[in-house]
Amino acid sequence: MRRSWGRNKFSPHRGPWADEEWQGWWGDEPPFHTPVFVMTHHPRPSFSLGDTTFHFVSGDPASVLAQALDAADGKDVRLGGGADTVREFLDAGLVDTLHVANAPIEIGGGSRLWTSPDDLLDRYHRDVVPSPSGVVHHLFWRD
């Protein structure tokens, strides 16, 4: 499995990299154990922490996904990141399955993945699975 992310998931920094010493939120042993492709308008050299290598790539979602698929060598690619990045991949028709856990809390500003989960029903099937904690799982898939 390989991963493709938006830059905001990797770092709180915006714009050109002022400090390439930042190596993410997770310390010396990231939990990913696989190559990670960080989609950004501000590339920087790849680096490895443990068995995770971070590649900073620019391009549209299709080209970033192509790089991750090539590295995956037939394995799955997971998409992570904020709503804006996920929406770019959804809008480009590049997502086969999607699992969104929706918690009943409001944490302030930010980007919305959708106005309503019904927004994706023109392209996806959906199951909704509530949990006792109040979290609602939305599972989307294409034929």
Side-chain angles (χ1 to χ4, degrees), residues 1-135:
M1 170 190 339
R2 304 300 177 258
R3 297 172 190 276
S4 181
W5 289 352
R7 176 175 168 187
N8 293 352
K9 182 168 181 169
F10 176 80
S11 167
H13 306 103
R14 304 296 175 259
W17 293 98
D19 177 10
E20 289 186 5
E21 303 223 2
W22 173 265
Q23 295 189 327
W25 309 96
W26 32 80
D28 294 336
E29 289 294 328
F32 313 112
H33 312 290
T34 185
V36 173
F37 291 81
V38 180
M39 189 168 78
T40 176
H41 297 290
H42 304 282
R44 64 183 265 190
S46 298
F47 68 87
S48 296
L49 291 173
D51 57 356
T52 300
T53 300
F54 294 93
H55 302 281
F56 300 85
V57 297
S58 62
D60 61 23
S63 66
V64 173
L65 178 60
Q67 293 175 65
L69 285 168
D70 185 53
D73 195 28
K75 296 179 183 174
D76 288 340
V77 171
R78 286 194 178 175
L79 172 63
D84 292 338
T85 298
V86 173
R87 176 56 76 186
E88 284 186 62
F89 280 79
L90 285 167
D91 290 346
L94 300 172
V95 178
D96 295 325
T97 61
L98 178 68
H99 175 192
V100 177
N102 190 356
I105 60 171
E106 188 170 323
I107 54 175
S111 300
R112 291 181 163 272
L113 183 56
W114 53 50
T115 302
S116 163
D118 293 347
D119 293 351
L120 300 180
L121 293 181
D122 61 332
R123 295 169 279 167
Y124 293 91
H125 302 283
R126 179 184 68 200
D127 275 342
V128 178
V129 182
S131 69
S133 68
V135 172

